[in-house]
Amino acid sequence: MNLNSLDLNLLVALEALLREASVSRAAMRIGLSQPATSHALQRLRHLVGDPLLVRSGARMELTPRAQALRGPLAQVLDQVRGLFIPDDFDALSSERHFRLMMPDLAVELLMPPLMEKVTKAAPNVTIDVVPWRGPAIFTAEFARTIDLVISIGDAFGGFHRQRLYTDSDALAVRRGHPVGAKLKRRDAFLDARHVAVVIRGQSEDLIDGWLRAKGIERRIALVVSGYIEALHVTARTDLVAFVPRRLIGALAKQLSLISVAPPLDPGIDEQFMFYPTRAQTDPGSIWLRNIMLGIGREMEREKRKAA
């Protein structure tokens, strides 16, 4: 292959086509017309010597050669883009797009103050929040698209970790619940019907693994995929949710909930911010991380004042 004749824009088009497996969606992703993207696909087929996308019924599928290109191509384009990252970050004029991964409770607690600060300092910066996924399904390809992760634990390879804030778990029940404060007693806790929160990538609610180690099994009546879903159901039924205390506090007035201390102390949860090693010295990433760390410090100060 004569690299002198290679148009790097074709690689950008190829990345979009391999990611979307659709000419029309790829065109939208890179801001080209559909005919122009279709023409780029034809040139790429000739260049690679492979059809890359083939029709299967009403949809397009990647060929094995196309599948094999996805990872290496993403790495090459990351490196090329890195050549042109500026040495500084002008928040006021930046049009940068950041992609964050976090569970719904972190969205509820962190995104309002984050967006307030970002909007003031960088009105043209955009934030894309994607649902949390566990380390088992956090693929290398997906990781390359992420700027920040908010999560517990330390199992995200290729990412650095900084503590953001602390929390503890409590029982959420609707105001006027027939048992209510009695749930702090073990017998009432065991008699109650619970909502379990099983997030994508997990096999069970984390609190159940902790309880089982102490010889306790909850009566689980409902399983949902998010903490906010659990609280909305709890607010309208007699079910009980074992969830982070900060989240209950954030939604208590809106949903008419009360927080009850569980019969066993679950201890302190630590919520962390993870950022990719490749972005360690990136000025834009540093700017966003500093804002997020500032929010975490504000949350900890408020917690100490309330104690």
Side-chain angles (χ1 to χ4, degrees):
M1 179 184 295
N2 182 6
L3 291 179
N4 290 330
S5 63
L6 178 62
D7 180 357
L8 280 178
N9 289 319
L10 277 180
L11 298 185
V12 175
L14 178 58
E15 181 188 40
L17 287 162
L18 298 186
R19 187 181 296 276
E20 299 293 345
S22 161
V23 172
S24 58
R25 290 198 302 272
M28 293 178 62
R29 187 179 190 91
I30 57 179
L32 288 180
S33 67
Q34 188 165 333
T37 307
S38 182
H39 178 65
L41 176 58
Q42 296 304 320
R43 291 176 63 191
L44 287 162
R45 284 169 167 166
H46 175 74
L47 189 67
V48 179
D50 185 90
L52 298 174
L53 287 173
V54 294
R55 186 162 295 282
S56 176
R59 47 195 294 272
M60 302 287 279
E61 291 186 353
L62 301 184
T63 66
R65 173 69 172 142
Q67 292 279 6
L69 285 172
R70 293 179 72 179
L73 176 63
Q75 289 180 341
V76 167
L77 287 178
D78 272 350
Q79 291 172 350
V80 171
R81 291 175 181 128
L83 294 174
F84 303 100
I85 292 177
D87 292 331
D88 57 3
F89 178 78
D90 183 0
L92 192 61
S93 63
S94 176
E95 297 182 356
R96 184 154 170 184
H97 179 85
F98 292 99
R99 198 166 192 233
L100 282 57
M101 183 186 85
M102 60 181 73
D104 63 343
L105 73 96
V107 175
E108 179 69 31
L109 297 175
L110 297 173
M111 290 313 298
L114 177 67
M115 290 312 300
E116 181 180 2
K117 295 177 186 299
V118 167
T119 300
K120 287 180 180 178
N124 297 314
V125 161
T126 56
I127 306 289
D128 176 17
V129 177
V130 299
W132 191 90
R133 58 172 69 183
I137 55 175
F138 190 80
T139 63
E141 181 181 354
F142 178 75
R144 281 190 291 270
T145 71
I146 298 298
D147 294 290
L148 284 183
V149 175
I150 308 299
S151 180
I152 60 173
D154 59 357
F156 294 96
F159 282 68
H160 291 285
R161 186 182 76 161
Q162 290 180 279
R163 192 172 81 165
L164 196 56
Y165 66 86
T166 59
D167 203 352
S168 60
D169 291 323
L171 302 175
V173 296
R174 68 175 178 83
R175 195 174 298 279
H177 190 283
V179 178
K182 295 179 181 178
L183 287 165
K184 63 180 63 176
R185 299 200 320 245
R186 186 165 175 154
D187 59 340
F189 175 83
L190 293 175
D191 285 343
R193 300 171 73 239
H194 290 252
V195 183
V197 179
V198 181
I199 302 175
R200 183 184 181 192
Q202 296 177 343
S203 58
E204 66 174 356
D205 191 321
L206 294 178
I207 205 70
D208 287 307
W210 176 77
L211 288 170
R212 192 175 302 111
K214 299 181 180 300
I216 297 174
E217 292 280 349
R218 292 192 296 171
R219 292 179 61 198
I220 297 175
L222 174 67
V223 177
V224 296
S225 61
Y227 292 99
I228 294 177
E229 291 175 80
L231 290 185
H232 274 274
V233 172
T234 300
R236 300 172 64 184
T237 67
D238 287 339
L239 298 180
V240 177
F242 207 148
V243 300
R245 192 182 299 270
R246 286 185 185 272
L247 185 62
I248 303 172
L251 296 175
K253 184 176 181 180
Q254 175 185 338
L255 298 180
S256 192
L257 295 168
I258 61 171
S259 175
V260 179
L264 294 90
D265 182 4
I268 299 298
D269 294 330
E270 293 183 310
Q271 199 74 231
F272 294 96
M273 176 182 72
F274 298 79
Y275 62 92
T277 302
R278 59 179 163 77
Q280 189 166 5
T281 60
D282 171 24
S285 175
I286 293 170
W287 171 82
L288 184 63
R289 279 149 36 199
N290 284 338
I291 292 178
M292 192 69 85
L293 288 171
I295 293 170
R297 288 192 294 269
E298 290 172 10
M299 292 171 68
E300 291 295 280
R301 281 196 295 269
E302 291 171 1
K303 179 181 178 181
R304 288 193 295 269
K305 286 179 182 178

